[in-house]
């Protein structure tokens, strides 16, 4: 029986690919050739949006922020499931960039130009376009744009309309498991992803993530069946406690399941522990 192949849309595969600055640079240049980016560096989040530790790894930080040679910042995300609230998720990530990149002692005048970029394995706007870009406009005068210096780009892997660069088309082919694109970026990405699939340690991490997410779906919590975040947190925490999972791993699983920060997940855990011991919230 053939082994399962984990492709570019897998959370871990995507994060590993984006750990390499040469990949970040190539992908950003493919999306935004007009910016003429010549160099980038990855910045580690002080307060990562999502974090998941595996038994055979120190951990994987999600949502790395990328800075280019002109102090512009980028957050590049992979979105596989077409869940409600995409706009609010974009807003959250934009706030995350501002929080992480504003230096101590600076105020809003010092906010850098930023881009939140989502690769979507679905059409986020239903217009069959391959790339959607959003800014702040005045409602009655579309020629009037509020200069926030922030940009939102949604890339639709299923789209057929609109002009994009050959390099971005190559990235979309990789996402769609088309292996015949001879573009150098596509060839490099396919080779790297194949290597991750062959690496035993990486495969263990991939399978661990798959099984953990499967357990969450079985509990009916990762899809938000509970009527509120507090109720969901309570149910998930109690379920994982019943399985004997340590506190640290419960907090990490809650952060992943509900796409919240570790600090917020820790706060829910402490509230539940306090309530279970007879204290007040």
């Amino acid at each position: 029986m053939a082994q399962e192949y984990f492709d570019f849309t897998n959370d871990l595969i995507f994060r590993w690919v984006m750990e390499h600055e040469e990949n970040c640079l190539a992908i950003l240049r493919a999306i935004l050739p007009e910016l003429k980016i010549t160099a980038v560096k990855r910045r580690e989040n002080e307060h990562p949006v999502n974090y998941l530790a595996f038994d055979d790894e120190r951990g994987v930080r999600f949502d790395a922020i990328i800075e280019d040679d002109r102090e512009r910042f980028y957050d590049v995300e992979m979105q596989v499931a077409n869940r409600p609230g995409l706009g609010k998720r974009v807003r959250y990530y934009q706030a995350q960039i501002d929080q992480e990149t504003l230096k101590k002692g600076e105020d809003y005048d010092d906010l850098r130009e930023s881009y939140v970029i989502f690769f979507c394995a679905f059409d986020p706007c239903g217009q069959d376009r391959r790339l959607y870009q959003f800014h702040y406009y005045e409602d009655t005068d579309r020629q009037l744009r509020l200069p926030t210096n922030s940009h939102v780009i949604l890339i639709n892997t299923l789209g057929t309309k609109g002009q994009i660069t050959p390099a971005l088309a190559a990235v979309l082919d990789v996402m769609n498991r088309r292996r015949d694109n001879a573009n150098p970026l596509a060839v490099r990405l396919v080779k790297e992803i194949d290597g991750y699939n062959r690496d035993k340690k990486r495969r263990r991490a991939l399978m661990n993530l798959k099984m953990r997410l499967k357990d969450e779906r079985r509990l009916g919590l990762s899809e938000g069946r509970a009527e509120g975040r507090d109720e969901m947190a309570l149910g998930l925490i109690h379920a994982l406690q019943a399985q004997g999972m340590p506190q640290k791993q419960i907090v990490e699983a809650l952060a992943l399941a509900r796409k919240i920060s570790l600090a917020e997940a820790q706060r829910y855990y402490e509230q539940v522990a306090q309530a279970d011991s007879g204290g007040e919230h």
Side-chain angles (χ1 to χ4, degrees):
M1 183 176 179
Q3 283 189 322
E4 179 178 0
Y5 184 82
F6 296 94
D7 61 25
F8 196 34
T9 63
N10 178 275
D11 274 335
L12 284 180
I13 294 288
F14 182 72
R15 306 307 169 186
W16 289 332
V17 168
M18 297 301 287
E19 284 177 357
H20 301 289
E21 291 181 352
E22 63 270 24
N23 291 336
C24 296
L25 175 60
I27 289 172
L28 288 177
R29 293 180 71 174
I31 299 168
L32 296 159
E34 67 275 13
L35 296 187
K36 303 187 185 302
I37 306 169
T38 59
V40 299
K41 60 182 177 181
R42 295 179 72 256
R43 291 170 55 109
E44 289 295 335
N45 291 11
E46 294 179 7
H47 310 287
V49 178
N50 292 313
Y51 180 86
L52 182 61
F54 296 97
D55 293 338
D56 56 353
E57 293 192 337
R58 291 184 179 179
V60 178
R61 286 183 181 271
F62 285 9
D63 307 309
I65 293 174
I66 304 164
E67 181 182 359
D68 73 9
D69 50 312
R70 296 182 60 182
E71 292 192 330
R72 294 173 294 214
F73 291 92
Y74 309 83
D75 180 44
V76 186
E77 301 290 331
M78 180 66 69
Q79 298 291 314
V80 176
N82 187 7
R83 296 189 178 95
L86 183 63
K88 290 181 179 178
R89 184 170 299 178
V90 168
R91 177 180 170 184
Y92 181 79
Y93 285 121
Q94 182 63 65
Q96 182 76 7
I97 289 182
D98 293 340
Q99 176 186 354
E100 296 293 339
T101 60
L102 198 62
K103 298 175 183 177
K104 186 175 181 179
E106 294 180 333
D107 60 25
Y108 64 85
D109 286 331
D110 299 302
L111 285 169
R112 277 67 169 179
E113 187 169 11
S114 64
Y115 292 77
V116 174
I117 301 171
F118 280 13
F119 279 99
C120 300
F122 53 89
D123 189 341
C125 301
Q127 296 187 12
D128 195 31
R129 291 167 54 187
R130 291 188 283 187
L131 187 148
Y132 303 92
Q133 188 162 187
F134 299 89
H135 299 92
Y136 287 85
Y137 292 96
E138 205 283 323
D139 286 349
T140 57
D141 182 0
R142 299 294 294 173
Q143 300 302 312
L144 182 59
R145 192 170 95 183
L146 193 65
T148 63
N149 254 6
S150 61
H151 314 262
V152 174
I153 297 175
L154 306 181
I155 299 167
N156 170 22
T157 63
L158 305 179
T160 62
K161 297 178 181 177
Q163 295 296 317
I164 57 175
T165 65
L168 181 53
V171 175
L172 299 188
D173 277 350
V174 174
M175 288 183 64
N176 289 317
R177 294 197 181 189
R178 300 190 187 108
R179 304 176 64 90
D180 57 349
N181 193 313
N183 182 280
L185 179 55
V187 172
R188 187 171 84 210
L189 291 177
V190 168
K191 182 179 179 181
E192 189 170 329
I193 294 167
D194 285 349
Y196 292 141
N197 274 271
R198 288 192 298 268
D199 184 276
K200 291 182 179 179
K201 181 179 178 181
R202 304 273 189 174
R203 283 200 67 85
R204 283 198 300 271
L206 290 162
M207 293 305 298
N208 285 346
L209 176 60
K210 178 183 176 182
M211 294 306 298
R212 189 170 296 182
L213 294 176
K214 184 177 180 180
D215 287 343
E216 290 169 4
R217 286 193 293 270
R218 186 182 296 117
L219 289 170
L221 297 170
S222 63
E223 298 300 325
R225 293 183 186 177
E227 292 184 351
R229 178 172 287 180
D230 289 338
E231 294 179 9
M232 188 290 305
L234 176 66
L236 179 56
I237 290 169
H238 282 160
L240 296 180
Q241 284 176 332
Q243 296 177 20
M245 184 176 290
Q247 174 184 338
K248 181 176 181 292
Q249 292 185 19
I250 292 174
V251 171
E252 291 163 355
L254 178 60
L256 178 67
R258 298 309 300 162
K259 305 295 184 184
I260 59 178
S261 68
L262 276 177
E264 189 173 359
Q266 180 66 36
R267 186 165 61 252
Y268 279 125
Y269 183 93
E270 291 171 355
Q271 290 173 351
V272 169
Q274 186 178 33
D276 288 345
S277 65
E280 296 181 355
H281 282 276

